[in-house]
Amino acid sequence: MKEITFLNPGFFWLFLLLPLAIVWYMWKHKQQAPTLKISSLQGFQTTSSILAKLNPFLFLLRLLALSALILAMARPRTVDISNETKTTKGIDIVMAVDVSGSMLAKDLKPNRMEALKKVASNFVQQRPNDRIGLVVYAAEAYTKTPVTSDKAVVLDAVNSIKYDRVLQDGTGIGMGLTTAINRLKESKAKSKVIILLTDGVNNSGFIEPETAADIAEQYGIKVYTIGIGTNGMAEFPYAIAPNGQFLFRMMQVEIDEKLMRSIARKTGGKYFRATSNSKLIQIYSEINKLETTEIEELKYYDYDEKYRPLVLLAGLLVLVEIGLRNTIFKSFI
């Protein structure tokens, strides 16, 4: 974006001299005007000359020339600023998301899964300089999107999360965590982070969550764990009606918070409990602040000096004033 700036704005104080110059000119012009007192003009032929009336025009040219010089000394210039950002120390993040049937519970609105998708999408958009991947798990786990810097791919993967019974139902926290670790163990990033979200207790899979946490610790991977679900009772799906719609009933919310705290503590992360939509938003916002990426911003300034035309204008005005004074106005000054 270009804008006019002045390198030496202090020269603008010289404009205060212009009113003084005008007062001086008026006083001097009055003093130089010849006067002759006679009793009567009868018998004299009087003529009026337009040149005499235009006499102050020469002083105006001089004032304009002086104004142009003052502006030139203030050094006007336009500046074109271009930015270049460079990620000096990036972060690789894998979001491991529980997609078991219980994620359709309605204690978050409209349900846990849809609430998570919205918040996770905003989180991805706020990490433009990091690589992000997505792992989904139930009783089993698979990589939905490998770690990538293409945010459009990640956002599309997040928005396509759904309960489709491709995976056997259940909650294999160890399976989800291990799959996420596999996506990060070869990473050369400054920081490697897993955001592990679940709404239940580990009841499936052949890898224990504690074992997976030990592996994450060995690879220097930090795990932030999130337990999603309200305290007490919530509407859970328990069957499918003949029309294909889920049937819901009130059931007790059970989250293995002790396990989730243990995983976070062992890997240097932190455990959070999302009991509402607003709380879930706060959690992802806090994780976003905890894991910051070092960015180097380079600014390039391209200056275009504008004082030269003003100097030429001032010189032209002076030449015009001198030329008129010594030609057309010579007999009147």
Side-chain angles (χ1 to χ4, degrees):
M1 178 179 176
K2 290 187 176 182
E3 56 180 13
I4 296 179
T5 60
F6 293 90
L7 183 62
N8 305 311
F11 281 105
F12 285 135
W13 289 103
L14 294 177
F15 278 111
L16 295 176
L17 297 177
L18 299 185
L20 297 178
I22 294 173
V23 172
W24 173 83
Y25 171 79
M26 294 176 63
W27 176 81
K28 185 178 179 181
H29 183 72
K30 186 176 180 180
Q31 291 294 112
Q32 290 180 344
T35 58
L36 176 64
K37 294 181 179 181
I38 58 176
S39 59
S40 175
L41 292 177
Q42 190 175 6
F44 289 90
Q45 184 177 0
T46 61
T47 59
S48 61
S49 173
I50 192 173
L51 294 180
K53 296 180 180 180
L54 292 178
N55 186 21
F57 176 70
L58 298 179
F59 179 69
L60 177 61
L61 290 177
R62 196 173 301 178
L63 286 181
L64 292 175
L66 181 59
S67 299
L69 284 176
I70 294 174
L71 287 173
M73 288 188 293
R75 290 286 295 277
R77 57 185 183 176
T78 58
V79 55
D80 187 6
I81 304 176
S82 58
N83 296 324
E84 179 182 330
T85 58
K86 178 182 178 183
T87 304
T88 56
K89 293 183 178 180
I91 299 175
D92 281 356
I93 302 172
V94 171
M95 296 185 293
V97 178
D98 187 344
V99 293
S100 59
S102 57
M103 284 291 289
L104 299 177
K106 296 182 178 180
D107 45 355
L108 275 71
K109 303 302 179 186
N111 58 51
R112 295 173 181 175
M113 189 172 292
E114 292 302 318
L116 169 65
K117 287 164 61 175
K118 181 178 180 180
V119 175
S121 295
N122 291 334
F123 177 80
V124 171
Q125 292 173 338
Q126 293 171 8
R127 311 291 301 192
N129 302 295
D130 299 319
R131 301 198 309 164
I132 300 178
L134 179 63
V135 168
V136 294
Y137 70 94
E140 304 165 299
Y142 71 91
T143 301
K144 195 169 181 66
T145 301
V147 176
T148 177
S149 58
D150 190 338
K151 298 304 183 293
V153 171
V154 180
L155 288 171
D156 183 64
V158 170
N159 291 327
S160 66
I161 293 175
K162 61 181 179 179
Y163 175 70
D164 53 13
R165 286 171 285 183
V166 171
L167 299 175
Q168 181 181 348
D169 205 4
T171 303
I173 296 174
M175 299 296 291
L177 182 54
T178 302
T179 304
I181 292 170
N182 284 332
R183 309 315 310 178
L184 290 175
K185 63 181 182 181
E186 304 296 335
S187 171
K188 303 298 182 183
K190 174 210 67 166
S191 181
K192 295 174 284 187
V193 173
I194 293 174
I195 302 176
L196 177 68
L197 180 141
T198 187
D199 67 344
V201 296
N202 186 68
N203 55 23
S204 302
F206 55 86
I207 300 178
E208 292 297 323
E210 293 85 353
T211 303
D214 291 334
I215 297 173
E217 183 184 15
Q218 292 175 8
Y219 282 107
I221 300 173
K222 187 185 299 183
V223 182
Y224 290 100
T225 56
I226 302 174
I228 183 170
T230 188
N231 295 311
M233 307 288 286
E235 285 188 90
F236 281 86
Y238 71 94
I240 300 178
N243 61 2
Q245 299 295 318
F246 286 98
L247 300 177
F248 292 83
R249 66 183 178 189
M250 297 300 294
M251 298 174 61
Q252 182 68 38
V253 176
E254 295 181 359
I255 298 176
D256 193 344
E257 294 191 288
K258 182 179 179 181
L259 172 62
M260 302 298 277
R261 286 194 179 94
S262 175
I263 294 173
R265 182 173 59 253
K266 184 175 292 186
T267 60
K270 190 175 180 180
Y271 169 69
F272 302 91
R273 179 68 183 272
T275 55
S276 64
N277 292 62
S278 59
K279 186 63 177 178
L280 184 62
I281 294 172
Q282 293 174 12
I283 289 169
Y284 272 85
S285 177
E286 184 172 347
I287 295 175
N288 189 40
K289 293 177 182 177
L290 289 172
E291 295 296 330
T292 56
T293 302
E294 295 184 19
I295 303 297
E296 180 182 1
E297 183 177 20
L298 302 176
K299 285 190 175 182
Y300 300 93
Y301 296 85
D302 183 17
Y303 293 102
D304 184 12
E305 299 288 348
K306 299 296 183 182
Y307 69 89
R308 295 180 183 86
L310 292 170
V311 173
L312 293 175
L313 176 62
L316 178 62
L317 291 172
V318 170
L319 290 176
V320 171
E321 190 263 346
I322 293 175
L324 292 175
R325 185 181 296 276
N326 289 279
T327 54
I328 299 176
F329 291 90
K330 184 175 183 180
S331 61
F332 295 94
I333 302 175

